[in-house]
Amino acid sequence: MFVQPVDYFLAVWFVLAGLSTAYVAWDQFRNNPEPVVMKWGFILVTLYMGPLGLLIYVLADKEPRPGEHEAFTKPLWKQGVGSTIH
């Protein structure tokens, strides 16, 4: 039962977190050449960070086109994000 306005915010946040996690899981196991531990790492981070985890995933790890993952993750800040996830 929703009593306070924060209850609605949390309900929306949980739905967005679930959708974000589903997208990251689908994309990781369909399109990403990362090792399995990195795939599960991004899935778990997105699970507890919700849409912010999705944003981190898209900015730091989702390859824009097939075969460009190495070049895409070359910047140091993206490597730092990957190391933190790992």
Side-chain angles (χ1 to χ4, degrees):
M1 183 157 98
F2 294 100
V3 178
Q4 307 235 345
V6 73
D7 296 336
Y8 293 102
F9 174 79
L10 287 175
V12 170
W13 183 262
F14 289 141
V15 168
L16 290 175
L19 293 172
S20 299
T21 303
Y23 173 76
V24 170
W26 173 79
D27 192 59
Q28 282 285 41
F29 287 104
R30 184 174 168 267
N31 299 323
N32 204 328
E34 290 278 2
V36 175
V37 69
M38 292 296 289
K39 292 178 182 191
W40 281 105
F42 271 106
I43 291 168
L44 291 173
V45 166
T46 307
L47 185 63
Y48 65 81
M49 289 185 71
L52 299 177
L54 174 63
L55 179 65
I56 291 170
Y57 169 69
V58 169
L59 291 177
D61 198 56
K62 180 174 172 41
E63 65 180 359
R65 287 175 288 290
E68 294 184 1
H69 188 74
E70 290 295 323
F72 181 71
T73 58
K74 190 167 180 93
L76 192 58
W77 74 270
K78 292 180 182 182
Q79 292 179 23
V81 169
S83 294
T84 303
I85 297 298
H86 185 265

